[in-house]
Amino acid sequence: MSRIAATFARLKDRGESGLVAYLTAGDPSPDRTASLVWALERGGADFIELGVPFSDPVADGPVIQKASDRAIAAGTNLARVLGIAREIRTRSEIPLVLFSYLNPLLRYGFERLAGDAAAAGIDGCLITDLSVEEAGDWIGPLKAAGLDTVFLVAPTSTQRRLELVSRYSSGFVYLVSRTGVTGEQDSVSASIAPLVEGMRKATSLPLAVGFGISRPEQSAEVGRLADAVVVGSAIVRLIEQNGQDPGLETILETFARDLKKPLLSVTE
Amino acid sequence: MTPTQPDAGGHFGPYGGRFVPETLMAPLEELEQAWIAARSDEGFQAELRDLLANYAGRPTPLYHAKRLGQILGGARIYLKREDLLHTGAHKINNCLGQVLLARRMNKRRIIAETGAGQHGVATATVCALFGLDCTVYMGEEDMRRQRLNVFRMRLLGAKVVAVSAGSRTLKDAISEAMRDWVTNVSDTYYLLGSALGAHPYPAMVRDFHRCIGEEARGQILKAEGRLPDRVIACVGGGSNAIGIFHSFIADEGVKLTGVEAGGRSGKLGDHAARFSGGSPGVLQGTRSYLLQDDDGQIALTHSVSAGLDYASVGPEHALLHDLGRAEYVSCQDADALAGARQLARTEGIIPALESAHAVAEAIRRAPSEPGAVYIVNVSGRGDKDIGIYIENFPELDPQ
């Protein structure tokens, strides 16, 4: 069983919802990322999304755009992100999902990526701007290397599209909670419940919900519906604000603990 | 060869397609359906024809630039005068088509990106005409160098949003428009201004500009009794070029020449010559040639012309390039400026800096092809560029 499937199975046994922590790899520097991941795991993160920085992240709001710029300026590229994954693996078995736009992966080459990512300990890939219609050409090598392929669904997705996405997905399905780019929001979107309901009809895979979730009360609300809750921009903002602070690891650990706490007992 | 057409997924050979976040997939499907329905709807087509004729000013003349041809050794150079259209460029063709589509789709809010500001002005114009809310994204650098168009948009009632990311030019404006669309997709129509982006935009925008080539083909047959030897157009995203090329693709004897921005030099970052300096990749919804670094990060670009200053190119051009049906050359800033000045002085026509790249290519090539018949697409007029012309021709503005 893959690390992703095994982790969801364990969460289910315990009656927990999972915490997926996103961070842009290489922000503030590629040497620091593994340490930040370990801190998030100590706080209770169950999965890590390692963002590959891209110069033109059209699906991201300003917080992750700036993190991408910082990571690129610090010399981060895909090869370096895979190096970070290998470093994480020296001390952790937390599932790692590579979260990227398509072009850096195309440039690296999918055949080469599949082998290198699997060898580095990556468990799955989520490619923001790769629709399932276009995915056929590219994801074969990833699947052949044993990597999960995670796709997004959104409030605009029709039931036909939910079913289409389910056919291409493995590991879990990522539900975008609202129309928009990544970023923190004051309240949880009303789109989540119907989207979860529609997707449950289309797949038995676990469902993770993200976009706009940044506070424990929000993770509690979403965790009651979904198998996992994704928090990204709020973590990246903490990294932006405390990038030069040696206490950043402690800050992230505490933040993850606060987000995970309401997810520890979500089944009624 | 038969004219290029996309497959059902919007692919032009290995290029094109639909590479966007899932949130935009269903809206793009909805747009495609609306466009397909409109294409065969006589009411839609009649309304568009009427607006193109009586509001925009079509057909545009095909003017024989005799003095220019004589100076260059006897080539017969014809100028397709898209610069004479309302708002001063070909962009209005596409904006009228898409705004009618937006109305059919009951979208009340229109967003657009703009580089040189010509598409922004055309979008603001059609929004004023139909009483629609209009927001235009524009890079800060482009707002500085195309200030006149920023003011025109505001005078027409549009909101112009400055984009400060990246190189602060067209690419960054498109990214910001995509972010707006993904956020406000339920009531917002994205009026994309070039033959770029995810399917159906490249084919749809081309179709709204195909009138340029259809007219030019009829006009040259009437004037010369034969087809031209060469059709020349500048290529940023490539909408004016694909609009005029498309009617000649089946005519094997007609050479098609696209002119990219050669900028300051051939060094990455100094130009926007995607075909000589780039390689295939995916940006902003479509697969095409891209200026990128070894890590797949999109390179910065430079051109004196804001409308050509873009890191990618429309996917149909990528296919025409690979098939060898069109050739793509580049023209440096200095040559474009000199071309504009020569056209102004020999024919009394001040072209947009974008169009000046096509003019400069005709000037460069004509002496080696005496007697050849050219059509050069003058896609826009140069009023918006007067500030840049003043900077580059200081001797004409003694203070």
Side-chain angles (χ1 to χ4, degrees), chain A residues 150-222:
Chain A
V150 180
F151 285 92
L152 302 165
V153 294
T156 50
S157 305
T158 55
Q159 192 65 30
R160 182 186 72 78
R161 295 201 57 81
L162 299 184
E163 277 155 26
L164 195 61
V165 168
S166 77
R167 287 210 294 278
Y168 284 83
S169 301
S170 60
F172 63 97
V173 179
Y174 187 131
L175 281 59
V176 174
S177 71
R178 59 181 164 79
T179 58
V181 293
T182 57
E184 298 152 74
Q185 295 282 307
D186 289 334
S187 60
V188 164
S189 164
S191 314
I192 296 174
L195 184 57
V196 168
E197 192 184 336
M199 199 66 218
R200 294 275 188 220
K201 284 183 198 149
T203 185
S204 56
L205 284 171
L207 307 184
V209 173
F211 276 45
I213 301 160
S214 61
R215 295 198 296 267
E217 64 271 25
Q218 294 170 327
S219 85
E221 194 177 340
V222 176

Side-chain angles (χ1 to χ4, degrees), chain B residues 38 121 237 269 277 331 391:
Chain B
V121 167
C331 163
E391 276 172 36

Side-chain angles (χ1 to χ4, degrees), chain A residues 53-61 65 72 76-77 102-104 106-107 128-131 133-134 138 152-158 160-161 165 176 178-181, chain B residues 9 11 16-27 29 165 171-172 175-176 178-179 182-183 185 279-284 287 290 292-298:
Chain A
F54 182 50
S55 53
D56 296 84
V58 294
D60 284 301
Q65 287 176 45
I72 292 168
T76 313
N77 60 12
L102 181 57
N103 202 55
L106 282 178
R107 190 71 175 177
T128 317
D129 54 348
L130 183 62
S131 59
E133 281 85 345
E134 302 287 352
W138 311 114
L152 302 165
V153 294
T156 50
S157 305
T158 55
R160 182 186 72 78
R161 295 201 57 81
V165 168
V176 174
R178 59 181 164 79
T179 58
V181 293
Chain B
H11 302 98
R18 198 174 265 169
F19 296 90
V20 292
E22 172 63 23
T23 306
L24 293 179
M25 288 301 287
E29 288 172 1
K171 167 176 74 74
D172 311 291
S175 287
E176 213 49 42
M178 286 178 78
R179 291 183 185 115
V182 87
T183 306
V185 67
S279 54
V282 169
L283 178 68
Q284 296 175 332
R287 183 161 192 268
L290 282 185
Q292 55 183 323
D293 70 13
D294 292 340
D295 296 327
Q297 308 295 352
I298 309 308

Side-chain angles (χ1 to χ4, degrees), chain A residues 131-148:
Chain A
S131 59
V132 289
E133 281 85 345
E134 302 287 352
D137 291 348
W138 311 114
I139 63 170
L142 301 180
K143 286 186 183 295
L147 296 166
D148 281 325

Side-chain angles (χ1 to χ4, degrees), chain B residues 35 44 48 52 56 58 82 85 89-101 112-113 119 122-123 126 189-195 201-212 239:
Chain B
W35 172 53
F44 177 89
L48 180 56
L52 287 171
R58 297 213 77 87
E82 293 297 293
L85 284 173
H90 72 292
K91 296 291 187 186
I92 191 80
N93 302 325
N94 170 52
C95 287
L96 284 169
Q98 287 203 53
V99 82
L100 293 184
L101 204 51
E113 82 296 337
H119 174 61
T123 303
V126 300
Y189 183 96
Y190 182 14
L191 207 167
L192 184 59
S194 195
Y201 285 105
M204 179 172 74
V205 173
R206 174 204 69 197
D207 282 356
F208 286 134
H209 285 304
R210 259 189 1 209
C211 51
I212 306 172
S239 66

Side-chain angles (χ1 to χ4, degrees), chain A residues 104-118:
Chain A
L105 310 190
L106 282 178
R107 190 71 175 177
Y108 193 89
F110 269 80
E111 289 284 348
R112 179 180 164 217
L113 171 67
D116 290 358

Side-chain angles (χ1 to χ4, degrees), chain A residues 196-256:
Chain A
V196 168
E197 192 184 336
M199 199 66 218
R200 294 275 188 220
K201 284 183 198 149
T203 185
S204 56
L205 284 171
L207 307 184
V209 173
F211 276 45
I213 301 160
S214 61
R215 295 198 296 267
E217 64 271 25
Q218 294 170 327
S219 85
E221 194 177 340
V222 176
R224 281 192 288 274
L225 296 166
D227 304 297
V229 177
V230 187
V231 178
S233 293
I235 290 170
V236 174
R237 185 188 296 279
L238 288 174
I239 294 171
E240 177 182 14
Q241 288 166 347
N242 304 284
Q244 305 312 314
D245 183 344
L248 174 59
E249 280 77 359
T250 311
I251 292 167
L252 291 187
E253 183 180 335
T254 305
F255 187 60

